[in-house]
């Protein structure tokens, strides 16, 4: 066994392609992830297998090659661009006699460095603890099971159980704190709905230019750099469009291929801003050779968090890096903006984006008078829960008359799950209800 060194970031990168040779773009992204974490890549070793080796993941021959490079180059750690099981990490660390970090651990480390807000730090810590909970028995000798014999029976197993108990207690504590933050965020979202302020969430692959676009639209001064996961904590700002419509713009964490499950689970409260947004601006790096794959990765995460049905506009950014590409707006079959080509760096195409937002929200409000009987209390509660009730009067026979304002998306969702709602709505001629 060995004690892991406390310092040193000289790293050997290992990438194993499964059922095919390694993709050059994946290797490039892997190197950028390592640099974003503060590592100094000194060698890249790649290979391919049909299936991972159950004990060492990369197989004994490739593992010996990595071990030789670790000793020859005096590496401090080995970073894998793959997801390793706890036993595989443990076996590799014993063989290499240095730290081993898999893709999940690497991304968690980057997030730990980027988190600035109290909530963000709690979310990252929660993700790290959940990841660590399966990896307590690794290379640390003070956690090792002691051998039998007089004088050799010690607190090793007791120490391990103590650490597990403390770790689970901390996970529960963070979960309770984040639940309070989630309730506060939910109150803010309900207040915005009551004020009829739509929310637009920026989503996209990391380093696609979301923060640059956010700064261009809001002049917020959010940290933006040409690196992966430059910003982590969500930021919300108000934007006033040319027609006077106000909206809340939310900048969220970027996505990446094979995003660790621990992060998706830990950041669910933050990502709820995306789930409950009225519109998503899917920011895409237009000049990336992996553009199609990155779009698919983002769509996969959106489906995973339940945001795949939220309306969206695709924003193709960085057209200043593409030859013969000018700003333009492409419309869908209903005449609504579907794709907007622009450059957040130069500002080209920003007018088209603002006009597209104004056009999208110009017919998105549904207003009406809803008359409910005494037996419709559940429907009344749902409307209040949505923050849709502007004014309420008691009906003559014990019911209610509600002046209701909803986003069209919320109205369609409610009528889908509560078909009786449509029968209670009245048109303008009868009740001064307006739609659109």
């Amino acid at each position: 066994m060995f004690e892991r060194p406390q310092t040193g970031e000289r790293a050997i990168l290992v990438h194993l392609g499964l059922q095919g040779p390694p993709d050059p773009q994946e290797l490039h992204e892997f190197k950028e992830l390592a640099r974003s974490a503060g590592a100094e890549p000194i060698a890249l070793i790649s290979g391919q297998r049909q299936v991972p080796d159950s004990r060492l993941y990369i197989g004994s021959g490739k593992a010996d090659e990595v071990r030789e490079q670790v000793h020859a180059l005096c590496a401090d750690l080995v970073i894998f661009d793959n997801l390793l099981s706890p036993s595989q990490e443990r076996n590799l660390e014993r063989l290499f006699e240095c730290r081993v970090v898999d893709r999940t651990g690497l991304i968690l480390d980057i997030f730990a460095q980027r988190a600035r807000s109290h909530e963000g730090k709690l979310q990252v810590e929660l993700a790290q603890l959940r990841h660590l909970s399966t990896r307590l028995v690794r290379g640390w000798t003070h956690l090792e099971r002691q051998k039998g014999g007089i004088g050799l029976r010690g607190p090793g197993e007791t120490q391990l159980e103590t650490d597990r108990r403390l770790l689970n207690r901390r996970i529960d504590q963070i979960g309770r704190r984040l639940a309070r933050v989630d309730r506060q965020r939910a109150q803010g979202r309900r207040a915005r709905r009551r004020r009829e302020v739509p929310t637009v969430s920026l989503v996209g692959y990391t380093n696609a230019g979301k923060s640059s676009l956010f700064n261009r639209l809001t002049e917020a001064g959010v940290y933006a750099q040409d690196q992966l996961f430059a910003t982590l904590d969500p930021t919300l700002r108000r934007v006033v469009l040319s027609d006077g419509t106000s909206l809340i713009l939310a900048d969220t964490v970027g996505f990446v291929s094979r995003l660790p499950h621990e992060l998706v689970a830990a950041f669910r409260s933050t990502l709820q801003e995306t789930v409950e947004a009225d519109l998503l601006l899917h920011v895409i790096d237009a000049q990336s050779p992996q553009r199609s794959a990155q779009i698919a990765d983002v769509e996969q995460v959106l489906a995973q968090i339940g945001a795949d049905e939220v309306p969206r506009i695709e924003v193709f950014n960085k057209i200043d890096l593409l030859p013969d590409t000018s700003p333009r707006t492409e419309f869908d079959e209903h005449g609504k903006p579907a794709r907007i080509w622009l450059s957040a760096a130069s500002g080209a195409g920003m007018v088209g984006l603002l006009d597209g937002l104004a056009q999208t929200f110009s017919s998105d409000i549904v207003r009406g008078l809803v008359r409910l009987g005494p037996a419709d209390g559940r429907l009344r509660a749902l409307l209040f829960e949505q923050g849709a009730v502007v004014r309420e009067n008691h009906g003559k026979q014990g019911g209610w008359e509600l002046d209701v304002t909803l986003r069209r998306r919320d109205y369609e969702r409610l009528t889908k799950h509560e078909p009786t709602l449509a029968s209670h709505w009245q048109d303008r001629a009868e009740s001064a209800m307006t739609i659109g």
Side-chain angles (χ1 to χ4, degrees):
M1 302 299 289
F2 67 97
E3 293 286 355
R4 293 188 184 86
Q6 299 297 315
T7 60
E9 302 298 341
R10 289 169 54 85
I12 291 179
L13 309 184
V14 180
H15 177 98
L16 183 67
L18 298 178
Q19 300 180 352
D23 187 288
Q25 292 300 321
E26 288 186 0
L27 294 177
H28 175 74
E29 180 182 273
F30 181 32
K31 292 178 183 177
E32 291 303 311
L33 280 173
R35 293 191 180 99
S36 296
E40 177 191 349
I42 56 176
L44 173 63
I45 298 176
S46 61
Q48 65 180 91
R49 288 176 62 96
Q50 289 299 312
V51 293
D53 179 72
S54 60
R55 194 174 71 88
L56 297 173
Y57 195 87
I58 54 176
S60 58
K62 186 63 68 173
D64 289 339
E65 178 185 346
V66 175
R67 184 175 184 274
E68 292 174 0
Q69 289 295 309
V70 168
H71 294 163
L73 301 176
C74 300
D76 300 305
L77 74 159
V78 177
I79 304 177
F80 278 72
D81 191 27
N82 307 93
L83 304 183
L84 304 177
S85 69
S87 63
Q88 288 168 343
E89 279 194 21
R90 186 164 61 249
N91 294 334
L92 290 167
E93 286 190 336
R94 287 171 177 166
L95 178 64
F96 300 156
E97 297 181 323
C98 72
R99 283 177 294 154
V100 172
V101 178
D102 70 350
R103 184 180 178 86
T104 297
L106 176 62
I107 295 178
L108 286 174
D109 186 85
I110 297 173
F111 273 50
Q113 296 180 49
R114 300 288 190 268
R116 295 292 179 267
S117 70
H118 176 65
E119 179 191 8
K121 292 176 181 179
L122 285 177
Q123 289 170 326
V124 171
E125 183 181 355
L126 178 61
Q128 288 179 317
L129 290 177
R130 286 174 172 169
H131 182 63
L132 178 63
S133 64
T134 62
R135 290 163 162 77
L136 277 180
V137 186
R138 299 215 323 191
W140 301 98
T141 56
H142 82 284
L143 294 183
E144 157 183 23
R145 184 188 299 271
Q146 299 292 328
K147 297 180 180 179
I150 296 175
L152 294 179
R153 284 184 286 266
E157 192 71 17
T158 302
Q159 177 69 57
L160 181 60
E161 294 302 322
T162 299
D163 284 0
R164 283 200 180 109
R165 183 166 56 254
L166 293 175
L167 185 146
N168 290 330
R169 186 182 302 169
R170 180 60 177 166
I171 288 176
D172 292 340
Q173 184 183 49
I174 295 176
R176 289 193 296 270
R177 291 185 181 180
L178 287 175
R180 289 197 295 269
V181 175
D182 193 24
R183 288 194 293 270
Q184 294 171 356
R185 285 186 175 275
Q187 291 174 355
R189 287 190 290 267
R190 285 194 295 269
R192 291 197 295 269
R193 282 198 294 264
R194 283 194 293 270
R195 292 194 299 266
E196 302 179 21
V197 181
T199 300
V200 178
S201 182
L202 295 175
V203 300
Y205 207 81
T206 182
N207 206 31
K210 296 184 302 301
S211 295
S212 298
L213 181 61
F214 185 85
N215 288 335
R216 177 69 67 172
L217 288 169
T218 65
E219 300 180 356
V222 171
Y223 179 73
Q225 287 292 330
D226 184 20
Q227 59 183 205
L228 303 185
F229 301 118
T231 56
L232 175 60
D233 298 307
T235 307
L236 280 72
R237 292 290 188 275
R238 181 182 293 269
V239 175
V240 180
L241 303 178
S242 56
D243 62 353
T245 301
S246 293
L247 56 85
I248 298 297
L249 189 66
D251 185 19
T252 59
V253 62
F255 301 147
V256 71
S257 64
R258 293 172 286 156
L259 190 67
H261 173 73
E262 291 91 343
L263 282 178
V264 175
F267 280 76
R268 190 164 297 278
S269 62
T270 300
L271 295 174
Q272 198 67 22
E273 295 289 350
T274 298
V275 176
E276 299 195 14
D278 297 280
L279 178 71
L280 302 182
L281 291 183
H282 181 177
V283 184
I284 300 165
D285 185 351
Q287 56 89 39
S288 173
Q290 296 293 101
R291 187 173 75 191
S292 298
Q294 291 174 359
I295 292 174
D297 288 331
V298 172
E299 294 293 339
Q300 181 180 7
V301 177
L302 290 177
Q304 189 175 355
I305 65 175
D308 48 331
E309 294 185 0
V310 181
R312 71 200 62 184
I313 297 176
E314 292 183 338
V315 178
F316 289 85
N317 189 26
K318 302 184 183 182
I319 64 170
D320 53 310
L321 302 179
L322 289 175
D324 304 324
T325 303
S326 58
R328 67 181 186 274
T329 300
E330 301 174 6
F331 299 88
D332 61 18
E333 63 273 14
H334 303 292
K336 291 187 176 183
R339 288 168 294 278
I340 299 176
W341 298 72
L342 53 76
S343 170
S346 67
M350 296 303 298
V351 174
L353 175 59
L354 292 172
D355 290 344
L357 290 173
Q359 182 177 350
T360 299
F361 288 109
S362 62
S363 60
D364 193 47
I365 302 297
V366 176
R367 301 182 179 92
L369 182 68
V370 180
R371 290 189 173 94
L372 301 176
D376 298 317
R378 181 173 178 275
L379 185 54
R380 172 179 175 271
L382 283 175
L383 291 171
F384 270 100
E385 184 181 339
Q386 290 290 320
V389 179
V390 178
R391 191 181 300 105
E392 179 186 34
N393 295 314
H394 290 284
K396 297 179 181 179
Q397 299 179 352
W400 305 274
E401 290 185 355
L402 307 178
D403 186 5
V404 175
T405 300
L406 278 168
R407 294 286 157 196
R408 187 174 297 278
R409 168 187 168 214
D410 294 330
Y411 172 78
E412 293 173 351
R413 186 177 67 248
L414 277 175
T415 53
K416 179 180 179 180
H417 295 288
E418 298 289 338
T420 57
L421 175 62
S423 63
H424 293 293
W425 282 71
Q426 317 238 335
D427 59 26
R428 176 183 288 272
E430 295 181 61
S431 61
M433 184 194 78
T434 60
I435 297 181

